[in-house]
Amino acid sequence: MPTTLGSLRRLVLTPSLASVTFAGRGFPVTPTESTERLEAVPQAVVCGFEWGIDARSLWEVERRLGLVEPEQRGFAYEGATMAFTVLDAMGRGHRTRDLLAGSGQPHIFLAYIGIGFAMARLPRPLWPKVLPDLTGTPYHPTMSWLAVDGYGFDLAYFHTRRWVDEQRRPKPYPWQGAPEYFQRAVDQGIGRALWFIHGGSPANVAAAVRGFGADRQGDLWSGVGLASTFAGGGTAEGLAGLRDAAGPHRAELAQGSVFASRARAYAGFVPAHSEVASTSLTGLSVEAAAKVADACAVDGRTPGAAGGPPPYELWRANVREHFREAGPSPRPAPGPAARAE
């Protein structure tokens, strides 16, 4: 049962399901079956947040999350992580650590993004408290840059005029000791948001990316690749067109797709749309793309050189270089799953 205080926090902090739909956000999206599935993503995040902000125990939250269908479960964990991060940062506790060291570990990629959603609602003086100590768990702290990605997504999704239309840049922050990289990670999240803002329309997403300065487009394309592969919403034909539209940034688009494949494979559930997207954007199955991610990984326990890129960016650079060396990826004929999408 929820607590009284938890219920009050939920009423104050939780957006309604209607408010996170494309129509509710005022996004220029024509409703289709694909866009309905895509907008279920932020709704799953909202559900996870409600359960996390309202619950008496970790067991109760985990039980509810376990009832979510596998394709959306990671997004619900994203929301629960957001809630626990807010609670831990504003008070005392280790809810976030307990969740991510336990049942949330398979969803760690999305969980970091949930931490970023919390950052968008917390004052910066509390940010040093948002990242739990997950020493010894896979991908920590390298992938914690996805928290900054999540922060950028939240800015673009909920304050689109300022961060997309006006293309503002947030003040740098020394995340993992690399303030000079903060804006780039934010742009990766904005790129992910563009996929949602335009309902997975390749032409509209590509036009939106091109509307930004040239120095930002590579990271935006990376975010597009991650969102389109993990969340879905595209067809094989449309995604092939998206790959063509990326032009000189195909390697960045492929890199984002590869990270999404690694995340899906790590979570243990790969939906058909992720296979379609991976094949269309990289020429590889999700399994093969995840192996590329592993082969390109760097030791995140070793900090990057002072003033240089963090290990997260070195990993991304290795993946991009893999695709630049491989040249244009083949375009296999779509199989039954691709045609069904």
Side-chain angles (χ1 to χ4, degrees):
M1 293 293 292
T3 65
T4 301
L5 181 59
S7 296
L8 290 173
R9 286 192 298 250
R10 173 168 53 82
L11 289 172
V12 172
L13 296 174
T14 309
S16 67
L17 293 183
S19 72
V20 298
T21 62
F22 298 149
R25 300 308 314 153
F27 296 155
V29 175
T30 300
T32 65
E33 184 178 343
S34 292
T35 63
E36 288 179 4
R37 292 200 305 270
L38 192 59
E39 70 181 353
V41 169
Q43 292 177 327
V45 175
V46 168
C47 289
F49 180 83
E50 286 187 340
W51 298 334
I53 209 74
D54 210 14
R56 290 180 181 272
S57 68
L58 176 62
W59 177 87
E60 181 178 320
V61 175
E62 291 178 320
R63 178 62 181 144
R64 294 188 183 205
L65 293 170
L67 297 175
V68 178
E69 63 180 43
E71 183 172 341
Q72 299 291 342
R73 189 173 300 154
F75 300 115
Y77 266 94
E78 190 176 300
T81 302
M82 172 187 169
F84 282 177
T85 301
V86 169
L87 294 174
D88 289 346
M90 295 182 68
R92 292 184 178 181
H94 42 79
R95 303 169 184 82
T96 311
R97 185 195 68 193
D98 293 346
L99 180 69
L100 303 189
S103 67
Q105 179 57 211
H107 308 288
I108 189 65
F109 291 79
L110 292 188
Y112 281 130
I113 290 173
I115 292 174
F117 292 168
M119 291 164 60
R121 288 155 181 81
L122 292 169
R124 287 196 176 200
L126 291 181
W127 284 11
K129 299 175 64 177
V130 301
L131 190 64
D133 182 4
L134 296 172
T135 302
T137 64
Y139 306 110
H140 186 80
T142 305
M143 276 292 175
S144 75
W145 277 100
L146 285 173
V148 183
D149 177 309
Y151 173 71
F153 180 99
D154 194 282
L155 295 181
Y157 196 87
F158 289 102
H159 308 282
T160 310
R161 176 178 296 179
R162 180 179 180 86
W163 303 105
V164 176
D165 300 342
E166 298 176 7
Q167 300 180 13
R168 302 288 187 91
R169 296 175 187 253
K171 180 181 177 181
Y173 180 83
W175 189 264
Q176 294 295 303
E180 66 285 345
Y181 190 73
F182 183 79
Q183 176 63 59
R184 291 194 57 188
V186 166
D187 279 348
Q188 292 154 38
I190 292 175
R192 281 197 308 112
L194 292 177
W195 181 253
F196 286 83
I197 289 169
H198 294 283
S201 166
N204 292 341
V205 171
V209 172
R210 293 195 195 101
F212 282 77
D215 62 319
R216 303 180 68 177
Q217 291 182 21
D219 288 312
L220 294 170
W221 276 115
S222 174
V224 171
L226 199 157
S228 58
T229 303
F230 198 98
T235 65
E237 181 180 6
L239 291 163
L242 185 72
R243 177 180 170 276
D244 290 342
H249 296 296
R250 288 180 181 176
E252 283 85 353
L253 182 69
Q255 178 271 311
S257 179
V258 163
F259 272 25
S261 290
R262 177 65 277 177
R264 276 295 188 190
Y266 189 66
F269 179 81
V270 180
H273 66 69
S274 292
E275 288 288 1
V276 172
S278 180
T279 301
S280 299
L281 301 182
T282 72
L284 301 171
S285 67
V286 166
E287 181 181 5
K291 290 179 179 178
V292 168
D294 291 342
C296 293
V298 298
D299 186 355
R301 295 169 297 180
T302 304
Y312 174 73
E313 174 55 26
L314 295 176
W315 190 356
R316 296 176 71 242
N318 287 346
V319 175
R320 294 194 299 270
E321 187 60 26
H322 169 87
F323 284 98
R324 290 192 179 108
E325 291 180 352
S329 58
R331 289 191 187 174
R339 288 193 292 269
E341 278 290 301

